[in-house]
Amino acid sequence: MAKSGVSGYAAISARVRAMYSSLLSPQDFARLSDAPDFPTLITQLKQTAYSPYLENLKDKDMTPQKVDLAIKGRLADSYYSVIHMAPEHARSLLKQLYRYFEVQNLKAVLRAIITDPSWERVQDVLFPMSSMTVLPAQAMLEAGSVAAAVELLQGTPYYETLSFAMKRYSAEQSLFPLEVALDLYYWRQLWQEAKKLQGQDRGQASRIIGSLMDVNNLMWVIRYRIYHQLSEEEVINYTLPFGYHVRDEDVRAIAAGADLASVVGRVFPGIPDLNALLDDPRAGLPKLEIELKRRLMQQCLAAFTGNPFHIGVPLAFLILSDLEIQDLTVLIEAKSSQMEDEEFMPYMLRQVV
Amino acid sequence: MFFPREMSEIELIVPSKDLLAVTKVLSGYGVFHQTDSNYPGVASGSANTWQETAAQYAALERRVQTVMQALGIEEGQPPSSDFEAMVETESIRPMVDQIEEEVRTTSDELSNQRKHLEQLESILHQLEPVGDIDIDISSLRESRYMFSMLGLMPSANLDRLQTSLARVPHVFLTLRSDPARPVVWLAGTKANADVLQRAARSAYLDPLHLPGDYQGTPGKIIESLRNTIESTQRKIAELQETLKRLGDERKEQLRDLLWQAHTSRVLSDAIVRFGQLRHTYVVTGWVPTDDLEELTRRLKAASREILIEVLPTSRFGPNQNVPVSLQPSRLLQPFQMLVNTYARPRYGELDPTLLIAITFPILFGAMFGDIGQGLVLALLGWLMSTGRFLKSMSSLGGLIIACGLSAAFFGVLYGSIFGFEEDVHLFGIELRPLWMSPIHHILDILIVAVGAGVVLLILGFLIGIFNYARSRNMGHLLFGHNGIAGLTLYVSLLGLGASAFGLLPVATIVFVVPAVLAAIALMFAEVFIHLVEGHRPLYEGGFFTYLIQAGVELFEVVISLLSNTLSYVRVGAFAVAHGGLSAAIFILAELFSGLLGPIGYWLVVILGNLFIIGFEGLIVGIQTMRLSYYEFFGKFFTGGGMRFEPLVLTPVKNEE
């Protein structure tokens, strides 16, 4: 019998709340943002929960890329703990959520095969998934070609998807169809896992996972239309018909050429200066994405109020941890490039005072 | 027992000529946790050479593994021969090349034939649904007015493709439903061919491509395909037989090659992290102090000129870089797992395993006190730990045995056996509570539970203070929430409460003064801690903002002290609930005895007991874990220690 409610979530709820309390506070972020340069930022970071992940980095390895990779180790550990403590019925969804990083790693390996197949470089950009991955990344890279690398994925969940997309890769010699197929496969599986849950778990998972999908789906549809200038039917085929706020009608309307600001404004009311943002989509889209992620963050924080015995709490914690790393990445990049506060602050999800 | 194993940091200066012998000892003994000594100032160009050597061994190892995989040979156990030496890459490469060549020709052919078979089967799969149509297949493709596409596509894309074509006239049929690869047919007017093609392509519809030699009606092509499939299958079987024969011939040789490459790779990986001086290598790392003497003896035997400097590590002060090896104890292993699930202790920090081994079963037993149910639980735990029941959870067996025995002990104190509490005779002795029956002394048991909670929390505070003192964290020791100020406030508040209710014949003022002082210390903890640690500024932001924040923090500390204490009420409440649940089962049993007689009575009693053991046992277990993790550990246990990962030549089971 699947354990849900109090009996299933008591232990994980206690553990996640303990882990949640170790997320960086607004004061921590303010301190980090005030760091005058990159070395000071690292010194400050070493005084936070990220310390154990930075201790092993030697001074010569304190590059923005290595630091970024090192702090992701904490996110990997959080996923590992949460997945192992989660009740059986909730584990598939959490594992699927974690596969996001595996999909990103897979894309990175495929790109590297074409651009620079050096394992030393590639491993510096791969999310540290340790044993929780099915990708034979190094062997794929050494396989020499995308086709041979995909063959090495036989027996993994990605093979079937990629074997269809490989026909197009062979014809077009572009990774675009492979990457789109992987994205669609990942998000469909995630949604299916959320829908397999029952009762309150299902509602919470649909809300949080749906909100996460909204951000991606909306960004895809706008980018496909504006950057890639794809036709209506292509845009529809490359996007998802489900989400929390974003409905299929909205996606289809944008694909068919509807006014972006009016559709986005209807789905997400209250976004400041939406028209101005979408007047120049190339500059405005990243800011729109930040705004949507801020709303996602609020959704996740809301999961920590009220009854804590459901999947929403661990899901929200994992997403918040990921968003925290995204903010830290902005800070790392900003401090290493000696950017002024006003240059990087708009790209932070947390409003740093 | 109360602390992780004592570690010593060692630095070795190894003459170049003894490099391999020393590395072999370090890797073979399995007690040396290597740290990187290849840092600037020490490293020379040789690190790159060793990096290349390690990469060569890794490549060889992977090649051997690939060959073994192709031949279906498992890696097996390390061979008994002395393989612990580093072999020259050139001495094993020719053999790997030769076997690889032998295997590659056959396995490549096998792989090609399999792919060919797959293609043929795929074409057959697509043509079968239209097998009865008596027209030449090429006429469909060359139609003047109609666009037509037969093919396979991912089933997940079916709906989306139809949605994307909602505004274009078309016909879309699923000719063969397949959960993964349905066969579909898309048709429309030639004028819309572009749109249809774009939509099909973006939905990953893979159109059927017939090789040139397959022509005519679908029926004829299917017949020809079936013949080719049969001959391909025969060829595949022959190639598999050849590979099997090769595998039998080369099995032992390949395993030896694999382990030689593996150990050579491990040794060279270790050397990559050594620092090199002109004629010597610098090796640094950690060793459990207990194993130091034996390791030193082995190292001296391997190199007479080796210099070994041992830097004893103080357990005091911040030791985040020291790897943590927990004291191995079979008896405490289940509790060690419980602690590690929360966090790994830091070096120098008190390992709470022994404490949790005592408190966890006691808390569980107090909530689940029953002789019979406790013994059944212990029996289940024993069956699990010996792998006779729920083998996959055998690691939890020891924990369940301890909890079951503790529950049985509290059952004796509560006078309860399988829920029976009155008029029970066991071996001629009337069973009476040795202490009290929770359901008959509800208030007493709740008070005792809170009292036990107070004792445990004070113990938690004391251990926290001890840990701060050991780590020389004077700021938190004096002013931290879990330091002396926190404990003083807690004890003073308890005293104030006891005095106010007349439980302590001491004037209230005696507790008011320390409570106020402790509250001030906690309120301005950040300032005091920064003062002690020499950090500036003393507080962040404006003074009034800080004052408000400090006030809220103090309020939060007081509330959490109160909630932590009251949290232990659940121990008594569950003991009472346990009695109540048993009483409910007996009421049900009486009802059923009226319907089915004594059989009905005992059936309900047995099923009810099984329900209590399973359901209530689980809930009580979770509550115990909550009390341990949240209330108890939170007071003193930081965790976050680095795992001790010694160099080993062969894969070994994890420590925990």
Side-chain angles (χ1 to χ4, degrees):
Chain A
M1 191 179 71
K3 286 186 293 168
S4 56
V6 181
S7 63
Y9 285 103
I12 189 176
S13 166
R15 181 81 182 102
V16 165
R17 277 183 179 271
M19 290 160 82
Y20 174 69
S21 67
S22 72
L23 288 178
L24 298 182
S25 64
Q27 289 81 9
D28 290 329
F29 265 106
R31 250 194 307 273
L32 294 170
S33 308
D34 286 345
D37 50 29
F38 180 62
T40 317
L41 175 73
I42 300 303
T43 311
Q44 300 271 25
L45 256 183
K46 281 185 177 174
Q47 288 164 17
T48 68
Y50 288 93
S51 162
Y53 300 90
L54 297 169
E55 291 298 337
N56 289 334
L57 277 187
K58 286 180 289 184
D59 287 345
K60 72 178 166 86
D61 287 338
M62 282 294 177
T63 60
Q65 193 180 34
K66 297 254 186 201
V67 170
D68 188 45
L69 189 70
I71 60 172
K72 281 177 181 160
R74 182 161 181 241
L75 182 60
D77 284 351
S78 298
Y79 265 98
Y80 186 84
S81 298
V82 170
I83 289 172
H84 281 81
M85 287 204 80
E88 195 68 38
H89 70 277
R91 238 174 251 176
S92 312
L93 174 65
L94 295 167
K95 279 185 186 167
Q96 180 60 26
L97 186 67
Y98 193 34
R99 286 206 183 104
Y100 176 79
F101 302 102
E102 193 169 56
V103 170
Q104 300 310 312
N105 282 354
L106 177 49
K107 289 186 198 171
V109 170
L110 293 176
R111 281 177 209 149
I113 291 172
I114 292 171
T115 54
D116 177 13
S118 136
W119 175 242
E120 278 67 38
R121 287 195 192 176
V122 173
Q123 63 183 343
D124 281 351
V125 297
L126 297 185
F127 185 87
M129 298 195 74
S130 61
S131 60
M132 286 186 72
T133 181
V134 293
L135 296 188
Q138 191 174 357
M140 284 176 73
L141 201 68
E142 287 164 1
S145 71
V146 171
V150 168
E151 281 306 306
L152 290 175
L153 291 173
Q154 282 203 37
T156 70
Y158 308 109
Y159 183 69
E160 187 70 26
T161 302
L162 286 179
S163 65
F164 268 111
M166 273 309 290
K167 305 271 168 42
R168 282 191 56 195
Y169 173 76
S170 307
E172 299 166 25
Q173 289 298 305
S174 154
L175 285 177
F176 179 75
L178 296 182
E179 296 194 354
V180 172
L182 281 171
D183 282 335
L184 289 174
Y185 165 77
Y186 169 79
W187 289 103
R188 279 179 183 148
Q189 289 298 114
L190 188 65
W191 189 246
Q192 266 180 28
E193 292 296 344
K195 289 293 165 191
K196 275 185 201 161
L197 297 172
Q198 304 287 327
Q200 199 184 4
D201 275 351
R202 189 182 165 125
Q204 288 286 341
S206 303
R207 190 174 62 83
I208 294 175
I209 297 294
S211 303
L212 187 61
M213 291 175 83
D214 285 347
V215 179
N216 278 283
N217 212 16
L218 197 64
M219 286 299 124
W220 284 346
V221 67
I222 300 176
R223 284 187 182 130
Y224 289 148
R225 200 182 101 180
I226 292 170
Y227 293 164
H228 298 266
Q229 296 180 332
L230 297 181
S231 65
E232 178 185 352
E233 58 277 8
E234 284 173 308
V235 172
I236 292 174
N237 276 316
Y238 292 154
T239 48
L240 300 164
F242 27 70
Y244 187 61
H245 289 296
V246 180
R247 307 279 162 199
D248 194 24
E249 302 87 82
D250 307 316
V251 173
R252 281 155 58 187
I254 296 175
D259 176 50
L260 284 179
S262 67
V263 179
V264 177
R266 191 176 66 236
V267 180
F268 294 105
I271 296 180
D273 304 325
L274 185 59
N275 282 314
L277 278 183
L278 292 171
D279 270 351
D280 177 10
R282 282 173 198 274
L285 271 189
K287 287 176 186 161
L288 175 64
E289 188 170 2
I290 297 288
E291 183 58 36
L292 296 181
K293 282 187 177 172
R294 282 182 186 149
R295 287 171 181 231
L296 171 67
M297 202 159 77
Q298 293 309 318
Q299 291 265 28
C300 291
L301 290 171
F304 284 86
T305 54
N307 171 19
F309 302 114
H310 52 71
I311 185 87
V313 172
L315 275 178
F317 165 71
L318 291 171
I319 293 172
L320 284 172
S321 304
D322 187 14
L323 296 177
E324 179 172 285
I325 300 268
Q326 289 183 32
D327 269 347
L328 287 177
T329 305
V330 171
L331 277 178
I332 289 167
E333 289 298 329
K335 297 295 170 186
S336 63
S337 325
Q338 295 177 321
M339 286 167 81
E340 293 299 319
D341 283 6
E342 54 276 14
E343 286 179 278
F344 72 85
M345 283 295 186
Y347 296 97
M348 297 275 294
L349 300 175
R350 283 159 191 78
Q351 311 274 16
V352 180
V353 183
Chain B
M1 181 162 279
F2 283 103
F3 296 95
R5 295 174 74 188
E6 189 182 344
M7 304 296 288
S8 294
E9 188 175 10
I10 59 171
E11 186 174 296
L12 313 176
I13 308 291
V14 186
S16 298
K17 66 183 174 64
D18 296 328
L19 177 67
L20 287 180
V22 167
T23 314
K24 189 177 152 185
V25 169
L26 292 174
S27 310
Y29 190 32
V31 297
F32 179 69
H33 176 108
Q34 189 183 9
T35 52
D36 208 337
S37 40
N38 185 5
Y39 46 85
V42 172
S44 77
S46 82
N48 290 336
T49 319
W50 278 105
Q51 213 151 21
E52 281 162 21
T53 312
Q56 284 172 11
Y57 284 121
L60 275 174
E61 189 182 355
R62 263 199 313 283
R63 282 171 62 193
V64 178
Q65 277 170 332
T66 311
V67 172
M68 288 173 83
Q69 211 174 2
L71 295 177
I73 302 171
E74 289 188 357
E75 290 181 3
Q77 294 299 312
S80 51
S81 58
D82 179 20
F83 63 90
E84 295 180 3
M86 187 182 282
V87 289
E88 287 293 324
T89 47
E90 287 316 313
S91 71
I92 57 171
R93 197 198 302 276
M95 188 54 71
V96 176
D97 288 345
Q98 188 193 331
I99 302 178
E100 197 178 49
E101 190 54 39
E102 281 174 26
V103 175
R104 188 190 291 151
T105 320
T106 318
S107 72
D108 282 358
E109 176 64 12
L110 179 64
S111 160
N112 288 339
Q113 289 297 331
R114 278 185 176 145
K115 236 176 235 165
H116 183 50
L117 178 67
E118 206 177 291
Q119 276 173 354
L120 293 172
E121 282 174 340
S122 171
I123 297 171
L124 181 67
H125 181 79
Q126 293 172 72
L127 278 178
E128 273 174 346
V130 291
D132 296 336
I133 301 172
D134 194 23
I135 52 164
D136 194 314
I137 202 94
S138 57
S139 63
L140 272 177
R141 280 186 295 206
E142 288 150 20
S143 166
R144 241 174 109 182
Y145 301 107
M146 195 178 83
F147 167 84
S148 164
M149 188 185 269
L150 177 71
L152 294 169
M153 69 179 287
S155 55
N157 295 357
L158 285 175
D159 291 344
R160 210 69 188 136
L161 174 59
Q162 295 197 61
T163 308
S164 71
L165 289 172
R167 299 202 292 185
V168 183
H170 71 282
V171 177
F172 182 71
L173 297 173
T174 303
L175 299 178
R176 175 175 257 177
S177 297
D178 182 306
R181 301 171 154 242
V183 180
V184 297
W185 183 61
L186 176 65
T189 61
K190 206 79 175 179
N192 286 328
D194 277 355
V195 180
L196 293 169
Q197 218 146 25
R198 240 185 351 245
R201 195 181 61 229
S202 57
Y204 295 88
L205 197 163
D206 179 23
L208 172 70
H209 289 293
L210 273 179
D213 44 345
Y214 292 106
Q215 286 180 350
T217 62
K220 272 190 183 166
I221 298 174
I222 287 171
E223 196 187 328
S224 167
L225 276 170
R226 282 188 177 137
N227 289 335
T228 320
I229 284 174
E230 249 177 60
S231 68
T232 312
Q233 280 169 335
R234 273 198 301 276
K235 208 163 194 174
I236 286 174
E238 282 166 22
L239 289 166
Q240 279 173 328
E241 188 53 38
T242 312
L243 278 181
K244 189 178 175 308
R245 206 175 49 245
L246 259 174
D248 290 342
E249 282 168 16
R250 299 288 196 179
K251 183 154 70 178
E252 292 310 318
Q253 205 175 4
L254 278 167
R255 281 184 178 161
D256 278 350
L257 283 171
L258 175 71
W259 287 108
Q260 281 170 348
H262 172 78
T263 48
S264 304
R265 197 255 304 155
V266 172
L267 292 171
S268 41
D269 271 344
I271 295 172
V272 167
R273 298 174 71 198
F274 293 175
Q276 195 191 8
L277 303 173
R278 188 178 293 253
H279 301 295
T280 54
Y281 283 83
V282 182
V283 185
T284 56
W286 298 91
V287 185
T289 307
D290 297 345
D291 297 315
L292 184 61
E293 199 181 322
E294 177 59 18
L295 181 70
T296 309
R297 192 188 64 71
R298 291 185 187 208
L299 287 170
K300 294 269 187 201
S303 166
R304 293 173 64 184
E305 291 153 45
I306 189 170
L307 294 177
I308 304 174
E309 190 178 355
V310 181
L311 312 161
T313 309
S314 167
R315 286 189 185 272
F316 302 97
N319 283 312
Q320 285 185 358
N321 291 331
V322 186
V324 173
S325 169
L326 300 177
Q327 303 280 359
S329 161
R330 209 175 132 70
L331 208 63
L332 293 178
Q333 206 176 12
F335 299 100
Q336 215 159 59
M337 187 186 73
L338 208 62
V339 171
N340 281 338
T341 306
Y342 184 85
R344 172 173 289 267
R346 290 180 186 214
Y347 188 74
E349 186 178 31
L350 188 129
D351 174 8
T353 306
L354 189 64
L355 274 172
I356 208 78
I358 296 166
T359 57
F360 195 95
I362 290 178
L363 288 171
F364 183 93
M367 287 191 262
F368 196 76
D370 187 290
I371 302 172
Q373 291 162 1
L375 290 177
V376 170
L377 208 57
L379 179 69
L380 283 176
W382 178 74
L383 289 173
M384 280 164 73
S385 65
T386 53
R388 291 182 174 88
F389 176 66
L390 289 175
K391 201 174 174 184
S392 59
M393 294 170 74
S394 61
S395 55
L396 285 176
L399 182 71
I400 295 175
I401 293 175
C403 289
L405 292 177
S406 168
F409 172 74
F410 274 91
V412 174
L413 297 182
Y414 296 163
S416 171
I417 179 164
F418 289 119
F420 293 95
E421 291 205 356
E422 286 159 16
D423 300 328
V424 187
H425 289 79
L426 203 61
F427 305 116
I429 303 166
E430 190 184 351
L431 189 68
R432 284 172 176 281
L434 271 187
W435 182 32
M436 68 167 109
S437 162
I439 198 149
H440 295 114
H441 299 85
I442 295 176
L443 201 60
D444 293 341
I445 196 86
L446 294 183
I447 291 170
V448 171
V450 174
V454 168
V455 173
L456 276 176
L457 288 175
I458 290 177
L459 178 66
F461 269 115
L462 291 173
I463 300 170
I465 289 170
F466 176 73
N467 277 338
Y468 283 139
R470 281 177 66 87
S471 61
R472 303 276 193 262
N473 190 342
M474 300 312 284
H476 284 89
L477 168 69
L478 296 171
F479 304 108
H481 297 172
N482 298 326
I484 291 172
L487 176 61
T488 310
L489 181 68
Y490 185 53
V491 174
S492 308
L493 290 178
L494 286 174
L496 268 173
S499 168
F501 285 103
L503 300 172
L504 263 182
V506 181
T508 315
I509 190 73
V510 175
F511 297 108
V512 171
V513 175
V516 170
L517 287 176
I520 292 170
L522 287 171
M523 207 170 150
F524 298 102
E526 189 182 338
V527 172
F528 291 134
I529 290 170
H530 282 185
L531 261 176
V532 171
E533 292 175 351
H535 283 177
R536 295 296 181 273
L538 290 178
Y539 55 86
E540 304 287 337
F543 181 70
F544 285 106
T545 316
Y546 172 71
L547 212 57
I548 293 167
Q549 191 184 321
V552 172
E553 267 180 32
L554 177 65
F555 179 69
E556 197 186 319
V557 170
V558 174
I559 291 292
S560 73
L561 286 175
L562 187 69
S563 69
N564 286 165
T565 310
L566 291 180
S567 204
Y568 283 89
V569 169
R570 76 187 70 212
V571 178
F574 269 95
V576 174
H578 185 76
L581 203 57
S582 303
I585 281 163
F586 287 118
I587 293 168
L588 270 177
E590 290 293 343
L591 284 174
F592 272 79
S593 77
L595 295 170
L596 302 168
I599 294 176
Y601 178 86
W602 286 108
L603 195 68
V604 173
V605 169
I606 291 169
L607 289 177
N609 267 284
L610 288 176
F611 173 75
I612 291 178
I613 292 169
F615 186 68
E616 202 196 328
L618 176 76
I619 293 182
V620 166
I622 290 167
Q623 293 302 329
T624 314
M625 202 151 85
R626 188 208 186 282
L627 285 173
S628 305
Y629 279 180
Y630 220 49
E631 322 298 350
F632 193 46
F633 278 3
K635 288 279 165 288
F636 66 91
F637 187 36
T638 316
M642 187 202 293
R643 193 189 175 98
F644 175 64
E645 289 173 328
L647 274 179
V648 280
L649 285 175
T650 52
V652 285
K653 281 190 175 175
N654 285 340
E655 177 195 329
E656 69 268 346

